[in-house]
Amino acid sequence: MFQHIHPYDPFFPDGATKLIVGTLPPPRFTSRELNERDVDFCYGSSNGLLWPVLDRIFGLQLKFETTQEAADQRRNFLTNRKIGVCDIVHSCEREKIDASDLGMQNIKLRDLVGYLLKYPKIDTLLFTGGNSKNGPEYFFRKHLKNYDKKLELVSNDIPRIHQFTLEGRIIKTVSLTAPSGAANRAIGSMQLYKSIKNNNPEFNTLDFRVLQYKEFF
């Protein structure tokens, strides 16, 4: 059984107002077997699309390589934009060594609400996925029950938006389309995507994420 422990501590820049919330990076980040295109930082997988999307939105000219410079580029961007990263899963066990959410067993969650109490300026959680089993929104809903709280629907359009109240402050959650290749099929079935692609055949799933993420980052 593979012990999949999150390799990165939560990242909270001074004055953070938004928080990116996922689950776990691929197991190779835990076993420290990165490939040359991986970046040794949050969401640094060479297969991941979060940083390519943000690179497009903000014109960051990011490097995609296992260097300190590449990691620092991402850390500096988040710091300047007051965006933190706190994936909700601390650890899990896997029979098969892969990055699938459904393959996680004996899952231990981070105390995300505890962090929100510690950083009172955070008003938005950006989930890197929806409410499918073992996704970040799914786990956060379970976590909120420990505090006798639940998400209230604000908008059922994709990306779905919810909110909850914590010590008098309203915190919004946005369930972004996952920045992974596995979500491309779901994007292809969305009416909005089909409509845009009919008018622009060159429009692709990365373009769709750029369009969606731009509004919330």
Side-chain angles (χ1 to χ4, degrees):
M1 189 75 75
F2 179 73
Q3 300 290 324
H4 193 177
I5 301 171
H6 204 299
Y8 302 116
D9 291 332
F11 179 78
F12 290 96
D14 288 343
T17 60
K18 297 176 182 175
L19 196 62
I20 301 170
V21 181
T23 54
L24 281 168
R28 68 179 182 275
F29 282 77
T30 296
S31 58
R32 310 307 298 159
E33 299 173 285
L34 279 64
N35 66 50
E36 63 182 14
R37 292 276 294 167
D38 286 332
V39 179
D40 192 8
F41 188 67
C42 309
Y43 295 90
S45 170
S46 56
N47 308 112
L49 297 172
L50 177 64
W51 286 112
V53 167
L54 295 179
D55 194 34
R56 281 265 303 271
I57 293 172
F58 294 99
L60 302 176
Q61 298 183 316
L62 295 176
K63 293 183 179 295
F64 292 86
E65 59 191 25
T66 313
T67 62
Q68 186 62 49
E69 181 183 1
D72 287 344
Q73 284 181 320
R74 288 152 176 79
R75 189 177 289 105
N76 292 339
F77 166 77
L78 294 172
T79 299
N80 291 336
R81 301 290 301 189
K82 300 187 186 308
I83 300 171
V85 181
C86 184
D87 289 340
I88 194 166
V89 178
H90 167 70
S91 66
C92 71
E93 294 180 342
R94 295 183 182 275
E95 290 183 2
K96 182 180 179 182
I97 303 178
D98 62 18
S100 74
D101 285 340
L102 290 177
M104 293 189 284
Q105 303 177 34
N106 299 323
I107 299 155
K108 294 182 179 179
L109 301 181
R110 286 172 167 165
D111 182 11
L112 196 53
V113 171
Y115 284 116
L116 293 175
L117 291 170
K118 187 176 179 180
Y119 296 93
K121 291 186 178 180
I122 294 173
D123 59 20
T124 305
L125 304 183
L126 301 171
F127 294 134
T128 59
N131 194 32
S132 57
K133 186 176 180 181
N134 289 2
E137 181 192 324
Y138 173 89
F139 282 135
F140 189 69
R141 286 178 178 274
K142 292 182 67 174
H143 177 55
L144 278 182
K145 290 179 181 178
N146 296 332
Y147 289 87
D148 197 27
K149 294 184 178 296
K150 63 180 181 179
L151 294 181
E152 300 171 0
L153 183 66
V154 174
S155 171
N156 204 33
D157 294 334
I158 296 174
R160 291 185 176 86
I161 299 173
H162 296 81
Q163 68 181 25
F164 65 101
T165 303
L166 184 64
E167 292 197 336
R169 86 190 209 247
I170 295 175
I171 299 176
K172 178 174 71 174
T173 73
V174 182
S175 297
L176 298 168
T177 301
S180 65
N184 287 344
R185 181 176 296 179
I187 292 174
S189 67
M190 293 179 188
Q191 191 56 48
L192 176 59
Y193 177 79
K194 291 178 181 179
S195 177
I196 297 174
K197 194 167 182 65
N198 281 340
N199 293 323
N200 178 11
E202 295 184 1
F203 188 77
N204 59 37
T205 54
L206 184 65
D207 297 328
F208 181 84
R209 289 183 179 88
V210 168
L211 196 63
Q212 183 185 102
Y213 286 30
K214 185 184 296 185
E215 180 178 351
F216 300 101
F217 277 89

